[in-house]
């Protein structure tokens, strides 16, 4: 059961409701976000929800049997939207395209990418400044210094910054320069990091770990929400399977599943999903038809010279063609009411 509290629910009312819920066999957790207050009630006993619905201080009561109640679709009447200060948003009513290099490499690269994004009316640039690499000898990112000019050029051109945060201590120094914190596959279940991101007021793009089930991914999102941050985007980026012909197996099934089970927007990252440049476009389009609310793709002026993930990176010509096709495909999906 999930109880939404009235804004003006006072402590006496809250205590009375909580006590009664506990007497009814529920384990009760109070969650406070910027949008509201909730009582997450875990327990198997059948309760007449009308009883709690009538209590002073209660706004609404929902039967939500899912383990991850706050991110469950079962209680949300309206799909939430993530709003940015410039008036733009991420929602289930539009297709968000995020493009940029795997790693931010230098200022010139940021400038030419921003120019490309602007020409193509793309509002979000991705780029890693803290890079999780399989080898400690590989390029591991420029850190905050790189983020500063990445952010400055984006802001000057009305583009929002999406970049990965790898550990708790980076959240604060990154804060002023970031619009969306990305949690990478390797940190998908780093609960300390998720807890702390739940305490910020910036959206979080939560990637699925390479061996993380969808139930576990929703549990990770529940960590962020239950710490106070409702602005979460789920992102499918491919999983490890027995198939070795490509880097990862893009789990397209995850897209309709997550959209059905959760109210959160669902993005797809076909670059990491398949890991092979020539297949990225098809999987991006397939993701849109599968219901993705956003697509994130790695691009570079000269992929052959990229510091990381060049093999799965599109050049600007390929990216431009893909943007047109993504928009056409999204229109087609809408027209089919899928
Ligand atoms: C990335 O987006 O460059 C990245 C490292 O992704 P993932 O965490 O999905 O591997
Ligand atoms: Mn990458």
């Amino acid at each position: 059961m999930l109880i939404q509290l009235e804004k003006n629910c006072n402590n006496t009312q809250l205590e009375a409701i909580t006590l009664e819920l506990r007497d009814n066999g529920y384990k009760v957790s109070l969650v406070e976000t910027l949008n509201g207050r909730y009582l997450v009630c875990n327990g198997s006993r059948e309760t007449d929800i009308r009883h709690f619905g009538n209590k002073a201080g209660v706004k609404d009561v929902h039967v939500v049997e899912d383990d991850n109640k706050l991110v469950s679709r079962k209680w949300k009447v309206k799909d939430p939207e993530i709003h940015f200060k410039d008036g733009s948003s991420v929602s289930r009513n539009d297709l968000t395209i995020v493009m940029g290099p795997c790693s931010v490499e230098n200022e010139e690269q940021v400038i030419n990418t921003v120019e490309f994004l602007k020409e193509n009316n793309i509002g979000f640039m991705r780029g890693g400044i803290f890079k999780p690499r399989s080898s400690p000898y590989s390029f591991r990112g420029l850190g905050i210094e790189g983020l500063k000019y990445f952010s400055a050029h984006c802001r000057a051109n009305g583009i929002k910054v999406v970049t990965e945060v790898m550990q708790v201590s980076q959240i604060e120094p990154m804060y002023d320069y970031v619009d969306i914190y990305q949690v990478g596959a390797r940190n998908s279940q780093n609960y300390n990091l998720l807890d702390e991101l739940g305490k910020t007021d910036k959206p979080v793009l939560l990637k699925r770990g390479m061996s993380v089930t969808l139930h576990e991914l929703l549990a990770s999102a529940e960590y962020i929400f239950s710490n106070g941050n409702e602005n979460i985007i789920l992102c499918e980026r491919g999983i490890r399977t027995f198939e070795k012909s490509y880097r990862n197996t893009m789990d397209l099934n995850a897209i309709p599943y997550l959209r059905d089970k959760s109210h959160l927007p669902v993005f797809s990252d076909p670059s990491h999903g398949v890991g092979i440049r020539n297949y990225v476009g098809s999987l991006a389009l397939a993701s849109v038809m599968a219901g993705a609310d956003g697509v994130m793709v790695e691009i570079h002026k000269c992929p052959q010279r990229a510091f990381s993930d060049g093999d799965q990176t599109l050049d600007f010509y390929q990216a431009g063609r893909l943007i047109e096709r993504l928009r056409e495909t999204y229109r087609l999906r809408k027209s089919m009411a899928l």
Side-chain angles (χ1 to χ4, degrees):
M1 184 160 63
L2 183 65
I3 298 183
Q4 283 179 278
L5 298 171
E6 291 284 6
K7 279 221 161 65
N8 59 5
C9 173
N10 63 38
N11 283 346
T12 318
Q13 291 166 337
L14 181 61
E15 264 171 41
I17 304 165
T18 308
L19 268 181
E20 194 170 343
L21 284 163
R22 290 197 174 127
D23 285 347
N24 274 268
Y26 285 100
K27 183 175 180 303
V28 187
S29 309
L30 172 66
V31 167
E32 291 195 55
T33 73
L34 291 175
N35 298 14
R37 285 195 294 169
Y38 309 84
L39 290 174
V40 181
C41 312
N42 283 291
S44 56
R45 289 189 46 174
E46 297 256 320
T47 311
D48 183 351
I49 63 166
R50 284 169 303 184
H51 173 71
F52 287 101
N54 287 330
K55 293 225 161 281
V58 170
K59 184 171 162 194
D60 214 342
V61 183
H62 312 269
V63 177
V64 184
E65 275 145 13
D66 305 3
D67 296 336
N68 302 306
K69 300 189 190 311
L70 293 161
V71 300
S72 166
R73 172 144 209 93
K74 299 240 170 80
W75 67 278
K76 275 273 183 191
V77 185
K78 231 177 115 230
D79 289 327
E81 298 192 345
I82 300 176
H83 292 283
F84 298 89
K85 286 198 184 93
D86 64 1
S88 62
S89 61
V90 167
S91 76
R92 286 195 169 187
N93 301 311
D94 204 1
L95 181 71
T96 301
I97 301 176
V98 184
M99 285 188 173
C102 178
S103 302
V104 173
E105 298 166 4
N106 52 57
E107 193 162 2
E108 191 197 326
Q109 176 212 34
V110 171
I111 293 170
N112 65 44
T113 309
V114 164
E115 197 180 318
F116 169 81
L117 296 179
K118 235 187 138 186
E119 272 167 18
N120 287 278
N121 205 14
I122 301 293
F124 295 84
M125 177 165 161
R126 60 147 291 141
I129 49 108
F130 292 120
K131 292 304 302 176
R133 302 305 302 277
S134 307
S135 163
Y137 308 115
S138 302
F139 176 66
R140 293 170 71 180
L142 297 171
I144 297 291
E145 286 317 301
L147 179 59
K148 284 185 182 164
Y149 61 70
F150 173 17
S151 180
H153 288 291
C154 283
R155 298 239 157 110
N157 288 281
I159 291 171
K160 281 167 287 300
V161 171
V162 183
T163 193
E164 178 166 352
V165 55
M166 286 181 59
Q167 57 188 48
V168 172
S169 63
Q170 294 162 352
I171 296 175
E172 204 268 325
M174 289 171 77
Y175 184 85
D176 287 339
Y177 308 102
V178 172
D179 297 294
I180 300 182
Y181 285 108
Q182 176 177 321
V183 175
R186 290 152 195 84
N187 269 314
S188 194
Q189 291 180 298
N190 179 340
Y191 301 121
N192 292 330
L193 182 62
L194 302 176
D195 276 342
E196 293 310 308
L197 288 168
K199 294 171 191 159
T200 74
D201 60 0
K202 299 231 174 173
V204 178
L205 185 143
L206 173 64
K207 286 203 175 188
R208 178 185 188 180
M210 40 205 120
S211 60
V212 163
T213 65
L214 296 177
H215 182 269
E216 288 165 340
L217 178 65
L218 292 172
S220 292
E222 188 87 2
Y223 266 88
I224 301 171
F225 196 131
S226 63
N227 275 282
N229 189 350
E230 300 196 13
N231 294 326
I232 307 160
I233 300 162
L234 302 171
C235 183
E236 168 60 41
R237 51 76 72 203
I239 51 172
R240 283 241 167 117
T241 68
F242 55 82
E243 185 51 68
K244 297 285 168 279
S245 308
Y246 21 78
R247 184 175 180 185
N248 290 299
T249 298
M250 184 68 193
D251 182 10
L252 288 172
N253 302 6
I255 298 168
Y257 180 89
L258 290 170
R259 285 185 102 249
D260 182 37
K261 299 297 172 199
S262 173
H263 53 76
L264 301 173
V266 178
F267 281 18
S268 125
D269 168 357
S271 306
H272 294 86
V274 65
I276 300 170
R277 182 181 309 123
N278 286 348
Y279 309 148
V280 168
S282 316
L283 287 157
L285 300 178
S287 305
V288 173
M289 285 313 277
D293 305 297
V295 177
M296 180 156 90
V297 174
E298 289 182 338
I299 64 167
H300 194 287
K301 193 170 180 187
C302 181
Q304 290 72 13
R305 280 203 245 125
F307 288 10
S308 56
D309 285 351
D311 290 347
Q312 65 191 35
T313 297
L314 305 189
D315 65 27
F316 288 175
Y317 175 74
Q318 293 163 330
R321 293 273 294 135
L322 179 59
I323 291 166
E324 281 172 28
R325 288 173 171 169
L326 283 169
R327 289 178 174 147
E328 271 169 40
T329 306
Y330 183 67
R331 279 196 293 275
L332 178 65
R333 178 178 116 203
K334 282 278 184 194
S335 72
M336 293 167 85
L338 283 174

